[in-house]
Amino acid sequence: MTGRCGPVALKGGSKTSVKPDLLGPVLPQDLSSLARALWAVPAPQRSNLCQRLFDRAEQAAAHVARTGQLHPQWGNGTLDAVARQCCGPLCTEPFWNDLSYIKCLRIALAELERRLTR
């Protein structure tokens, strides 16, 4: 069941239209951090880096689920943690009217959609 603001918890706690995956919940901050990490590299490298960061987040999430401990390199399994570990300090979030940043957000969203629909 979907409410005005997205999926609504059904009796028993399950939600519809949210595919269970290894990443867990993805928050706007995750995508912002991911886009900022992508923004720091040349455009031709961004898609590959994005895929690697998603892979690392999945590995970290699996590690946390299996051991109850943070992954030693990639943290708690969120895209935010992986982006911050991978590329050093992230730049300040740019304004959303920066075309280069918008392209990075699109790459991040496209990869998220690809992973949710596979």
Side-chain angles (χ1 to χ4, degrees):
M1 174 180 192
T2 301
R4 220 177 55 167
C5 296
V8 175
L10 302 173
K11 192 170 189 173
S14 65
K15 293 183 178 185
T16 60
S17 77
V18 176
K19 182 180 181 235
D21 61 5
L22 292 175
L23 283 175
V26 177
L27 301 172
Q29 178 63 38
D30 292 303
L31 293 173
S32 168
S33 295
L34 184 58
R36 288 159 54 205
L38 299 178
W39 201 36
V41 301
Q45 298 174 16
R46 290 174 180 163
S47 290
N48 287 336
L49 176 59
C50 188
Q51 291 171 17
R52 285 196 323 268
L53 294 177
F54 267 88
D55 290 343
R56 290 172 181 172
E58 287 179 349
Q59 291 169 6
H63 176 83
V64 170
R66 187 175 59 256
T67 67
Q69 302 289 319
L70 297 177
H71 187 279
Q73 285 183 289
W74 310 122
N76 64 5
T78 64
L79 292 167
D80 178 62
V82 169
R84 290 174 186 279
Q85 291 295 333
C86 149
C87 305
L90 297 175
C91 65
T92 302
E93 185 169 11
F95 293 111
W96 282 51
N97 60 344
D98 183 302
L99 188 55
S100 180
Y101 181 62
I102 295 281
K103 289 177 182 179
C104 293
L105 282 169
R106 284 184 169 178
I107 292 168
L109 286 167
E111 184 62 19
L112 177 61
E113 181 177 17
R114 188 182 77 77
R115 301 234 176 190
L116 291 175
T117 58
R118 64 180 172 179

mmCIF file of all heavy atoms in Angstrom, residues 59-77:
data_model
loop_
_atom_site.group_PDB
_atom_site.id
_atom_site.type_symbol
_atom_site.label_atom_id
_atom_site.label_comp_id
_atom_site.label_asym_id
_atom_site.label_seq_id
_atom_site.Cartn_x
_atom_site.Cartn_y
_atom_site.Cartn_z
ATOM 1 N N GLN A 59 28.972 -4.945 0.187
ATOM 2 C CA GLN A 59 29.912 -5.794 0.921
ATOM 3 C C GLN A 59 29.936 -5.417 2.408
ATOM 4 O O GLN A 59 29.938 -6.293 3.273
ATOM 5 C CB GLN A 59 31.317 -5.662 0.331
ATOM 6 C CG GLN A 59 31.466 -6.260 -1.041
ATOM 7 C CD GLN A 59 32.789 -5.866 -1.695
ATOM 8 O OE1 GLN A 59 33.650 -5.233 -1.088
ATOM 9 N NE2 GLN A 59 32.948 -6.237 -2.959
ATOM 10 N N ALA A 60 29.966 -4.125 2.672
ATOM 11 C CA ALA A 60 29.995 -3.666 4.064
ATOM 12 C C ALA A 60 28.706 -4.030 4.787
ATOM 13 O O ALA A 60 28.740 -4.473 5.943
ATOM 14 C CB ALA A 60 30.240 -2.160 4.122
ATOM 15 N N ALA A 61 27.565 -3.852 4.133
ATOM 16 C CA ALA A 61 26.285 -4.194 4.756
ATOM 17 C C ALA A 61 26.219 -5.693 5.068
ATOM 18 O O ALA A 61 25.738 -6.081 6.135
ATOM 19 C CB ALA A 61 25.126 -3.773 3.851
ATOM 20 N N ALA A 62 26.711 -6.513 4.143
ATOM 21 C CA ALA A 62 26.732 -7.961 4.381
ATOM 22 C C ALA A 62 27.646 -8.291 5.556
ATOM 23 O O ALA A 62 27.316 -9.142 6.389
ATOM 24 C CB ALA A 62 27.184 -8.692 3.121
ATOM 25 N N HIS A 63 28.778 -7.621 5.642
ATOM 26 C CA HIS A 63 29.718 -7.832 6.743
ATOM 27 C C HIS A 63 29.062 -7.462 8.085
ATOM 28 O O HIS A 63 29.168 -8.222 9.055
ATOM 29 C CB HIS A 63 30.983 -7.000 6.513
ATOM 30 C CG HIS A 63 31.964 -7.074 7.629
ATOM 31 N ND1 HIS A 63 32.880 -8.097 7.753
ATOM 32 C CD2 HIS A 63 32.167 -6.261 8.703
ATOM 33 C CE1 HIS A 63 33.605 -7.906 8.840
ATOM 34 N NE2 HIS A 63 33.190 -6.790 9.431
ATOM 35 N N VAL A 64 28.390 -6.315 8.111
ATOM 36 C CA VAL A 64 27.716 -5.874 9.337
ATOM 37 C C VAL A 64 26.633 -6.879 9.729
ATOM 38 O O VAL A 64 26.511 -7.253 10.905
ATOM 39 C CB VAL A 64 27.129 -4.452 9.172
ATOM 40 C CG1 VAL A 64 26.222 -4.092 10.337
ATOM 41 C CG2 VAL A 64 28.249 -3.429 9.022
ATOM 42 N N ALA A 65 25.845 -7.342 8.745
ATOM 43 C CA ALA A 65 24.780 -8.303 9.036
ATOM 44 C C ALA A 65 25.351 -9.623 9.563
ATOM 45 O O ALA A 65 24.774 -10.240 10.461
ATOM 46 C CB ALA A 65 23.950 -8.552 7.778
ATOM 47 N N ARG A 66 26.482 -10.029 9.018
ATOM 48 C CA ARG A 66 27.089 -11.303 9.395
ATOM 49 C C ARG A 66 27.803 -11.227 10.748
ATOM 50 O O ARG A 66 27.721 -12.147 11.547
ATOM 51 C CB ARG A 66 28.058 -11.740 8.291
ATOM 52 C CG ARG A 66 28.657 -13.105 8.433
ATOM 53 C CD ARG A 66 29.512 -13.523 7.237
ATOM 54 N NE ARG A 66 30.627 -12.605 6.994
ATOM 55 C CZ ARG A 66 30.681 -11.687 6.015
ATOM 56 N NH1 ARG A 66 29.682 -11.570 5.170
ATOM 57 N NH2 ARG A 66 31.730 -10.908 5.869
ATOM 58 N N THR A 67 28.512 -10.135 11.005
ATOM 59 C CA THR A 67 29.383 -10.066 12.187
ATOM 60 C C THR A 67 28.881 -9.139 13.287
ATOM 61 O O THR A 67 29.354 -9.220 14.415
ATOM 62 C CB THR A 67 30.783 -9.572 11.785
ATOM 63 O OG1 THR A 67 30.699 -8.208 11.360
ATOM 64 C CG2 THR A 67 31.396 -10.440 10.698
ATOM 65 N N GLY A 68 28.004 -8.202 12.933
ATOM 66 C CA GLY A 68 27.577 -7.204 13.902
ATOM 67 C C GLY A 68 28.620 -6.107 14.103
ATOM 68 O O GLY A 68 28.466 -5.260 14.977
ATOM 69 N N GLN A 69 29.662 -6.124 13.303
ATOM 70 C CA GLN A 69 30.751 -5.153 13.398
ATOM 71 C C GLN A 69 30.831 -4.337 12.115
ATOM 72 O O GLN A 69 30.484 -4.819 11.042
ATOM 73 C CB GLN A 69 32.092 -5.886 13.577
ATOM 74 C CG GLN A 69 32.156 -6.780 14.784
ATOM 75 C CD GLN A 69 32.217 -5.987 16.070
ATOM 76 O OE1 GLN A 69 32.905 -4.991 16.164
ATOM 77 N NE2 GLN A 69 31.464 -6.432 17.061
ATOM 78 N N LEU A 70 31.343 -3.114 12.221
ATOM 79 C CA LEU A 70 31.570 -2.300 11.039
ATOM 80 C C LEU A 70 32.603 -2.968 10.149
ATOM 81 O O LEU A 70 33.535 -3.613 10.647
ATOM 82 C CB LEU A 70 32.077 -0.910 11.423
ATOM 83 C CG LEU A 70 31.137 -0.034 12.246
ATOM 84 C CD1 LEU A 70 31.832 1.278 12.599
ATOM 85 C CD2 LEU A 70 29.855 0.221 11.491
ATOM 86 N N HIS A 71 32.442 -2.801 8.857
ATOM 87 C CA HIS A 71 33.462 -3.280 7.923
ATOM 88 C C HIS A 71 34.715 -2.437 8.154
ATOM 89 O O HIS A 71 34.627 -1.212 8.301
ATOM 90 C CB HIS A 71 32.954 -3.118 6.482
ATOM 91 C CG HIS A 71 33.856 -3.734 5.471
ATOM 92 N ND1 HIS A 71 34.982 -3.093 5.011
ATOM 93 C CD2 HIS A 71 33.793 -4.922 4.835
ATOM 94 C CE1 HIS A 71 35.585 -3.865 4.121
ATOM 95 N NE2 HIS A 71 34.880 -4.980 3.995
ATOM 96 N N PRO A 72 35.904 -3.050 8.188
ATOM 97 C CA PRO A 72 37.108 -2.288 8.517
ATOM 98 C C PRO A 72 37.444 -1.167 7.532
ATOM 99 O O PRO A 72 38.044 -0.164 7.920
ATOM 100 C CB PRO A 72 38.213 -3.346 8.544
ATOM 101 C CG PRO A 72 37.636 -4.583 7.981
ATOM 102 C CD PRO A 72 36.154 -4.461 8.023
ATOM 103 N N GLN A 73 37.058 -1.319 6.268
ATOM 104 C CA GLN A 73 37.346 -0.269 5.292
ATOM 105 C C GLN A 73 36.131 0.568 4.941
ATOM 106 O O GLN A 73 36.262 1.761 4.696
ATOM 107 C CB GLN A 73 37.889 -0.875 3.997
ATOM 108 C CG GLN A 73 39.308 -1.334 4.073
ATOM 109 C CD GLN A 73 39.757 -1.843 2.723
ATOM 110 O OE1 GLN A 73 39.311 -2.893 2.289
ATOM 111 N NE2 GLN A 73 40.599 -1.072 2.070
ATOM 112 N N TRP A 74 34.955 -0.048 4.860
ATOM 113 C CA TRP A 74 33.796 0.616 4.267
ATOM 114 C C TRP A 74 32.702 0.946 5.265
ATOM 115 O O TRP A 74 31.624 1.394 4.878
ATOM 116 C CB TRP A 74 33.245 -0.221 3.113
ATOM 117 C CG TRP A 74 34.326 -0.620 2.163
ATOM 118 C CD1 TRP A 74 34.678 -1.894 1.793
ATOM 119 C CD2 TRP A 74 35.222 0.245 1.449
ATOM 120 N NE1 TRP A 74 35.731 -1.852 0.933
ATOM 121 C CE2 TRP A 74 36.085 -0.554 0.687
ATOM 122 C CE3 TRP A 74 35.380 1.629 1.395
ATOM 123 C CZ2 TRP A 74 37.086 -0.034 -0.117
ATOM 124 C CZ3 TRP A 74 36.379 2.150 0.589
ATOM 125 C CH2 TRP A 74 37.213 1.324 -0.153
ATOM 126 N N GLY A 75 32.930 0.713 6.537
ATOM 127 C CA GLY A 75 31.992 1.198 7.540
ATOM 128 C C GLY A 75 30.721 0.400 7.687
ATOM 129 O O GLY A 75 30.714 -0.820 7.635
ATOM 130 N N ASN A 76 29.603 1.121 7.827
ATOM 131 C CA ASN A 76 28.331 0.513 8.231
ATOM 132 C C ASN A 76 27.457 0.011 7.087
ATOM 133 O O ASN A 76 26.357 -0.449 7.310
ATOM 134 C CB ASN A 76 27.527 1.494 9.092
ATOM 135 C CG ASN A 76 27.127 2.746 8.330
ATOM 136 O OD1 ASN A 76 27.356 2.877 7.129
ATOM 137 N ND2 ASN A 76 26.541 3.685 9.051
ATOM 138 N N GLY A 77 27.921 0.112 5.866
ATOM 139 C CA GLY A 77 27.153 -0.404 4.739
ATOM 140 C C GLY A 77 26.294 0.624 4.040
ATOM 141 O O GLY A 77 25.561 0.292 3.122
#
